[in-house]
Protein backbone atom coordinates (compact mmCIF):
# COMPACT_ATOMS: atom_id res chain seq x y z
CA UNK A 1 0.00 0.00 0.00
CA UNK A 2 2.73 2.46 1.00
CA UNK A 3 4.84 1.44 -1.98
CA UNK A 4 1.88 1.90 -4.33
CA UNK A 5 1.26 5.37 -2.96
CA UNK A 6 4.95 6.21 -3.30
CA UNK A 7 5.05 5.01 -6.91
CA UNK A 8 2.04 7.20 -7.64
CA UNK A 9 3.49 10.25 -5.87
CA UNK A 10 7.03 10.06 -7.18
CA UNK A 11 5.84 10.49 -10.76
CA UNK A 12 3.82 13.61 -10.03
CA UNK A 13 5.04 17.09 -9.31
CA UNK A 14 3.98 18.99 -6.21
CA UNK A 15 1.03 21.22 -7.10
CA UNK A 16 0.23 24.11 -4.83
CA UNK A 17 -2.69 26.33 -5.74
CA UNK A 18 -2.56 30.04 -5.03
CA UNK A 19 -5.53 29.82 -2.67
CA UNK A 20 -3.59 27.30 -0.52
CA UNK A 21 -0.56 29.58 -0.49
CA UNK A 22 -2.76 32.56 0.42
CA UNK A 23 -4.36 30.54 3.19
CA UNK A 24 -0.93 29.67 4.67
CA UNK A 25 0.32 33.25 4.39
CA UNK A 26 -2.74 34.36 6.33
CA UNK A 27 -1.45 32.37 9.34
CA UNK A 28 2.01 33.98 9.24
CA UNK A 29 1.33 37.69 9.03
CA UNK A 30 4.10 39.90 10.39
CA UNK A 31 3.29 41.77 13.59
CA UNK A 32 3.27 45.59 13.34
CA UNK A 33 7.06 46.11 13.41
CA UNK A 34 8.54 49.54 13.90
CA UNK A 35 10.01 50.20 10.46
CA UNK A 36 13.10 52.13 9.48
CA UNK A 37 15.23 51.19 12.49
CA UNK A 38 18.99 50.97 12.29
CA UNK A 39 20.16 47.33 12.35
CA UNK A 40 22.64 48.18 15.10
CA UNK A 41 20.37 50.25 17.29
CA UNK A 42 21.36 48.22 20.38
CA UNK A 43 22.91 50.63 22.83
CA UNK A 44 26.58 49.68 22.78
CA UNK A 45 27.00 51.21 26.22
CA UNK A 46 24.84 48.46 27.67
CA UNK A 47 26.85 45.68 26.06
CA UNK A 48 29.73 46.71 28.34
CA UNK A 49 27.94 44.72 31.04
CA UNK A 50 29.73 41.36 30.61
CA UNK A 51 26.82 39.21 31.79
CA UNK A 52 24.40 40.96 29.48
CA UNK A 53 26.86 40.74 26.59
CA UNK A 54 27.27 37.01 27.17
CA UNK A 55 23.50 36.48 27.15
CA UNK A 56 23.14 38.69 24.07
CA UNK A 57 25.73 36.64 22.18
CA UNK A 58 24.54 33.24 23.30
CA UNK A 59 20.77 33.49 23.66
CA UNK A 60 19.67 35.89 20.94
CA UNK A 61 19.74 35.59 17.14
CA UNK A 62 19.40 37.96 14.21
CA UNK A 63 15.95 38.93 12.95
CA UNK A 64 14.92 39.62 9.37
CA UNK A 65 13.49 42.97 10.54
CA UNK A 66 16.20 45.57 11.25
CA UNK A 67 16.22 46.65 14.89
CA UNK A 68 14.80 43.38 16.25
CA UNK A 69 16.22 40.10 17.56
CA UNK A 70 14.74 36.71 18.46
CA UNK A 71 15.43 35.73 22.07
CA UNK A 72 15.76 32.24 23.53
CA UNK A 73 14.59 31.67 27.08
CA UNK A 74 16.76 28.82 28.27
CA UNK A 75 14.98 26.00 30.10
CA UNK A 76 18.34 24.40 30.93
CA UNK A 77 19.24 26.09 34.21
CA UNK A 78 21.81 24.06 36.17
CA UNK A 79 19.42 22.18 38.47
CA UNK A 80 16.42 22.10 36.14
CA UNK A 81 15.23 19.05 34.19
CA UNK A 82 15.66 20.02 30.51
CA UNK A 83 12.50 21.65 29.21
CA UNK A 84 10.77 21.88 32.59
CA UNK A 85 9.07 25.12 33.56
CA UNK A 86 7.18 26.09 36.71
CA UNK A 87 3.74 27.73 36.78
CA UNK A 88 5.36 30.93 38.05
CA UNK A 89 7.89 30.95 35.19
CA UNK A 90 5.16 30.26 32.65
CA UNK A 91 3.15 33.22 33.96
CA UNK A 92 6.28 35.34 33.65
CA UNK A 93 6.84 34.19 30.05
CA UNK A 94 3.26 35.15 29.17
CA UNK A 95 3.87 38.63 30.62
CA UNK A 96 7.23 39.00 28.86
CA UNK A 97 5.71 37.92 25.54
CA UNK A 98 2.96 40.52 25.97
CA UNK A 99 5.39 43.24 26.88
CA UNK A 100 8.25 42.54 24.48
CA UNK A 101 7.22 40.21 21.64
CA UNK A 102 3.76 41.14 20.31
CA UNK A 103 2.20 38.53 22.62
CA UNK A 104 4.03 35.71 20.87
CA UNK A 105 6.15 32.95 22.45
CA UNK A 106 7.15 29.68 20.79
CA UNK A 107 8.40 26.34 22.04
CA UNK A 108 11.46 24.91 20.31
CA UNK A 109 12.29 21.28 19.59
CA UNK A 110 15.43 21.74 21.69
CA UNK A 111 13.20 22.18 24.75
CA UNK A 112 13.58 25.94 25.16
CA UNK A 113 11.23 28.87 24.56
CA UNK A 114 11.60 31.68 22.05
CA UNK A 115 10.34 35.26 22.03
CA UNK A 116 10.52 35.79 18.29
CA UNK A 117 10.31 39.58 17.84
CA UNK A 118 12.07 41.70 20.44
CA UNK A 119 13.10 45.29 19.80
CA UNK A 120 16.85 45.60 20.29
CA UNK A 121 16.23 48.68 22.41
CA UNK A 122 14.27 46.47 24.86
CA UNK A 123 16.83 43.67 25.16
CA UNK A 124 18.49 44.95 28.31
CA UNK A 125 15.17 45.30 30.15
CA UNK A 126 14.07 41.88 28.94
CA UNK A 127 17.34 40.33 30.11
CA UNK A 128 16.90 41.85 33.58
CA UNK A 129 13.35 40.49 33.73
CA UNK A 130 14.42 36.96 32.69
CA UNK A 131 17.05 36.94 35.46
CA UNK A 132 14.34 37.25 38.10
CA UNK A 133 12.81 33.98 36.91
CA UNK A 134 15.97 31.97 36.11
CA UNK A 135 15.18 32.04 32.39
CA UNK A 136 18.47 33.68 31.44
CA UNK A 137 21.01 30.81 31.55
CA UNK A 138 23.36 31.74 28.68
CA UNK A 139 23.86 28.19 27.40
CA UNK A 140 21.86 27.98 24.16
CA UNK A 141 23.70 25.79 21.63
CA UNK A 142 26.21 24.42 24.14
CA UNK A 143 26.94 21.05 25.74
CA UNK A 144 24.45 21.78 28.55
CA UNK A 145 21.64 22.61 26.10
CA UNK A 146 20.75 18.89 26.19
CA UNK A 147 17.64 17.40 24.62
CA UNK A 148 16.38 14.82 27.08
CA UNK A 149 13.27 12.66 27.35
CA UNK A 150 11.51 12.05 30.70
CA UNK A 151 13.05 8.57 31.00
CA UNK A 152 12.40 6.47 34.08
CA UNK A 153 11.35 9.48 36.15
CA UNK A 154 8.05 9.90 34.31
CA UNK A 155 7.70 7.44 31.41
CA UNK A 156 6.32 3.94 31.85
CA UNK A 157 8.11 2.72 28.69
CA UNK A 158 11.58 3.71 29.89
CA UNK A 159 14.51 1.35 30.32
CA UNK A 160 16.72 3.86 32.10
CA UNK A 161 16.86 7.35 33.60
CA UNK A 162 17.53 10.29 31.32
CA UNK A 163 16.97 13.45 33.39
CA UNK A 164 19.59 12.60 36.05
CA UNK A 165 22.20 12.13 33.27
CA UNK A 166 21.33 15.56 31.84
CA UNK A 167 21.64 17.12 35.31
CA UNK A 168 25.03 15.48 35.84
CA UNK A 169 26.23 16.81 32.48
CA UNK A 170 24.97 20.25 33.44
CA UNK A 171 26.94 20.17 36.69
CA UNK A 172 30.05 18.72 35.03
CA UNK A 173 30.16 21.56 32.48
CA UNK A 174 28.95 24.36 34.74
CA UNK A 175 31.90 26.64 34.00
CA UNK A 176 30.69 28.99 31.26
CA UNK A 177 34.03 29.91 29.74
CA UNK A 178 35.00 26.27 29.16
CA UNK A 179 31.47 25.63 27.88
CA UNK A 180 31.93 28.34 25.23
CA UNK A 181 35.39 27.04 24.41
CA UNK A 182 33.95 23.57 23.68
CA UNK A 183 31.35 25.16 21.41
CA UNK A 184 28.45 23.49 19.63
CA UNK A 185 28.38 19.86 20.80
CA UNK A 186 24.81 18.59 20.88
CA UNK A 187 23.96 15.88 23.40
CA UNK A 188 20.62 14.07 23.13
CA UNK A 189 19.36 11.48 25.61
CA UNK A 190 16.57 8.89 25.27
CA UNK A 191 15.46 6.52 28.01
CA UNK A 192 14.53 3.78 25.52
CA UNK A 193 14.69 2.90 21.85
CA UNK A 194 11.56 4.95 21.04
CA UNK A 195 14.04 7.83 20.79
CA UNK A 196 11.89 10.72 22.05
CA UNK A 197 15.18 12.40 23.07
CA UNK A 198 16.39 12.23 19.42
CA UNK A 199 19.56 10.37 20.44
CA UNK A 200 20.13 9.02 16.89
CA UNK A 201 20.78 12.56 15.65
CA UNK A 202 22.82 13.83 18.59
CA UNK A 203 26.46 14.71 18.00
CA UNK A 204 26.67 12.58 21.13
CA UNK A 205 23.62 10.32 21.46
CA UNK A 206 22.79 8.52 24.71
CA UNK A 207 20.36 5.60 24.74
CA UNK A 208 19.22 4.00 28.00
CA UNK A 209 19.00 0.20 27.92
CA UNK A 210 17.99 -2.37 30.48
CA UNK A 211 20.43 -5.18 31.27
CA UNK A 212 19.08 -7.66 33.80
CA UNK A 213 17.19 -4.94 35.63
CA UNK A 214 20.08 -2.45 35.66
CA UNK A 215 20.41 0.85 33.81
CA UNK A 216 23.05 0.92 31.07
CA UNK A 217 23.73 3.43 28.32
CA UNK A 218 24.81 3.06 24.70
CA UNK A 219 26.68 5.94 23.12
CA UNK A 220 26.49 7.00 19.47
CA UNK A 221 28.64 9.68 17.89
CA UNK A 222 28.26 11.81 14.79
CA UNK A 223 24.50 12.17 14.44
CA UNK A 224 23.07 15.43 13.17
CA UNK A 225 19.61 16.95 12.76
CA UNK A 226 20.86 19.94 10.77
CA UNK A 227 21.21 20.38 7.00
CA UNK A 228 23.77 17.55 7.01
CA UNK A 229 21.27 15.21 8.73
CA UNK A 230 22.66 11.77 9.54
CA UNK A 231 22.49 9.03 12.16
CA UNK A 232 25.16 8.54 14.80
CA UNK A 233 27.31 5.40 14.98
CA UNK A 234 27.46 3.21 18.06
CA UNK A 235 30.90 3.25 19.60
CA UNK A 236 30.81 -0.10 21.41
CA UNK A 237 29.48 -1.82 24.54
CA UNK A 238 27.13 0.09 26.83
CA UNK A 239 28.34 1.99 29.90
CA UNK A 240 27.06 1.41 33.42
CA UNK A 241 25.05 4.19 35.06
CA UNK A 242 28.01 5.20 37.23
CA UNK A 243 30.33 5.60 34.20
CA UNK A 244 28.20 7.29 31.53
CA UNK A 245 28.83 10.93 32.45
CA UNK A 246 32.57 10.30 32.74
CA UNK A 247 32.53 8.65 29.31
CA UNK A 248 30.78 11.68 27.78
CA UNK A 249 33.28 13.99 29.45
CA UNK A 250 36.20 11.95 28.02
CA UNK A 251 34.74 12.17 24.52
CA UNK A 252 34.47 15.95 24.81
CA UNK A 253 37.99 16.19 26.23
CA UNK A 254 39.27 14.11 23.30
CA UNK A 255 37.63 16.54 20.89
CA UNK A 256 39.09 19.60 22.63
CA UNK A 257 42.54 18.01 22.67
CA UNK A 258 42.61 16.87 19.03
CA UNK A 259 40.59 19.51 17.19
CA UNK A 260 42.19 21.88 14.72
CA UNK A 261 41.65 25.62 14.82
CA UNK A 262 37.95 26.31 14.21
CA UNK A 263 37.08 22.64 13.68
CA UNK A 264 33.60 21.60 14.86
CA UNK A 265 32.93 18.37 16.75
CA UNK A 266 31.47 16.70 13.65
CA UNK A 267 34.34 17.86 11.43
CA UNK A 268 36.89 16.52 13.92
CA UNK A 269 35.01 13.24 14.13
CA UNK A 270 34.93 12.91 10.33
CA UNK A 271 38.66 13.58 10.09
CA UNK A 272 39.77 11.40 13.00
CA UNK A 273 37.20 8.59 12.88
CA UNK A 274 35.61 6.98 15.94
CA UNK A 275 38.78 5.38 17.30
CA UNK A 276 40.32 8.17 19.43
CA UNK A 277 36.92 8.97 20.90
CA UNK A 278 36.33 5.30 21.74
CA UNK A 279 39.73 5.09 23.35
CA UNK A 280 38.97 8.17 25.42
CA UNK A 281 35.57 6.88 26.53
CA UNK A 282 36.66 3.34 27.37
CA UNK A 283 39.98 4.31 28.97
CA UNK A 284 38.21 5.02 32.22
CA UNK A 285 36.83 1.46 32.28
CA UNK A 286 40.32 0.03 31.78
CA UNK A 287 41.57 2.15 34.69
CA UNK A 288 38.81 1.06 37.06
CA UNK A 289 38.92 -2.67 36.13
S1 LIG B 1 12.34 7.62 24.60
FE1 LIG B 1 11.32 5.98 25.70
S2 LIG B 1 11.61 6.54 27.86
FE2 LIG B 1 11.94 8.38 26.67
S3 LIG B 1 9.92 9.38 26.62
FE3 LIG B 1 10.15 8.16 24.74
S4 LIG B 1 9.14 6.24 25.26
FE4 LIG B 1 9.58 7.27 27.20
Amino acid sequence: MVNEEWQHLRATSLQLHQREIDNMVEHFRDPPFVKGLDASSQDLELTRNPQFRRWLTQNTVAHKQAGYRAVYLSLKAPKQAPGDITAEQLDAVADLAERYSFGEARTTHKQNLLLPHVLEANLFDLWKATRKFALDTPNIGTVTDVICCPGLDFCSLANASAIPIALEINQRFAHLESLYDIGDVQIKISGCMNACGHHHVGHIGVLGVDKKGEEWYQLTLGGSADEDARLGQRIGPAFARKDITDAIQRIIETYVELRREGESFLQALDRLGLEPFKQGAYSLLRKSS
Side-chain angles (χ1 to χ4, degrees):
M1 180 75 176
V2 172
N3 284 339
E4 275 174 34
E5 185 64 15
W6 166 236
Q7 291 306 330
H8 162 70
L9 282 176
R10 70 184 302 194
T12 58
S13 60
L14 189 61
Q15 295 286 336
L16 273 180
H17 298 291
Q18 190 57 43
R19 70 170 182 284
E20 285 157 351
I21 296 170
D22 293 343
N23 185 30
M24 293 306 291
V25 168
E26 197 55 39
H27 291 285
F28 294 95
R29 290 238 173 265
D30 279 345
F33 291 125
V34 179
K35 298 285 168 74
L37 292 172
D38 184 340
S40 59
S41 63
Q42 177 61 45
D43 186 344
L44 290 177
E45 197 57 37
L46 294 177
T47 64
R48 295 209 175 119
N49 178 319
Q51 289 173 304
F52 172 60
R53 197 173 55 234
R54 198 164 57 193
W55 175 86
L56 193 63
T57 307
Q58 206 65 37
N59 286 24
T60 76
V61 291
H63 198 288
K64 67 178 181 179
Q65 183 67 39
Y68 286 81
R69 288 186 81 76
V71 174
Y72 286 103
L73 303 177
S74 171
L75 301 184
K76 313 288 172 67
K79 293 182 181 163
Q80 177 180 21
D84 265 18
I85 188 164
T86 65
E88 190 190 22
Q89 285 175 313
L90 208 47
D91 268 346
V93 171
D95 288 343
L96 294 174
E98 286 292 337
R99 207 170 337 144
Y100 295 112
S101 187
F102 300 97
E104 189 173 338
R106 300 176 189 169
T107 56
T108 76
H109 90 279
K110 290 190 176 173
Q111 299 177 316
N112 294 301
L113 295 175
L114 183 83
L115 299 183
H117 319 290
V118 180
L119 258 179
E120 288 185 339
N122 287 336
L123 285 169
F124 190 71
D125 288 344
L126 171 59
W127 171 66
K128 283 194 293 185
T130 60
R131 283 162 68 85
K132 287 188 201 143
F133 296 95
L135 293 165
D136 63 311
T137 311
N139 63 346
I140 296 296
T142 69
V143 165
T144 57
D145 192 5
V146 172
I147 295 181
C148 174
C149 86
L152 261 187
D153 290 80
F154 298 105
C155 179
S156 57
L157 299 174
N159 287 327
S161 308
I163 293 171
I165 309 297
L167 294 177
E168 277 180 28
I169 291 168
N170 215 320
Q171 283 166 12
R172 197 67 68 93
F173 295 95
H175 188 259
L176 284 174
E177 292 316 317
S178 60
L179 200 61
Y180 299 152
D181 176 55
I182 294 165
D184 177 20
V185 180
Q186 297 169 17
I187 301 176
K188 305 186 198 288
I189 309 172
S190 301
C192 81
M193 63 194 284
N194 287 329
C196 304
H198 315 183
H199 66 277
H200 293 298
V201 289
H203 295 174
I204 300 175
V206 185
L207 167 63
V209 291
D210 175 284
K211 279 197 198 178
K212 297 181 182 163
E214 290 183 3
E215 297 171 72
W216 288 71
Y217 295 88
Q218 284 176 357
L219 281 180
T220 49
L221 295 184
S224 172
D226 297 325
E227 288 81 4
D228 57 347
R230 60 193 200 181
L231 300 179
Q233 299 175 65
R234 235 176 83 187
I235 67 167
F239 292 86
R241 170 75 182 80
K242 68 179 176 48
D243 293 324
I244 182 62
T245 306
D246 287 338
I248 292 168
Q249 183 175 351
R250 295 295 172 94
I251 287 168
I252 292 170
E253 286 170 354
T254 302
Y255 161 60
V256 170
E257 193 183 318
L258 300 180
R259 68 184 168 186
R260 290 176 176 160
E261 181 75 29
E263 195 173 44
S264 71
F265 181 81
L266 290 183
Q267 288 167 340
L269 184 66
D270 288 345
R271 176 173 61 82
L272 297 160
L274 283 180
E275 203 48 43
F277 297 93
K278 280 167 72 170
Q279 282 182 17
Y282 289 104
S283 64
L284 73 110
L285 300 185
R286 285 196 288 277
K287 276 179 195 156
S288 61
S289 61

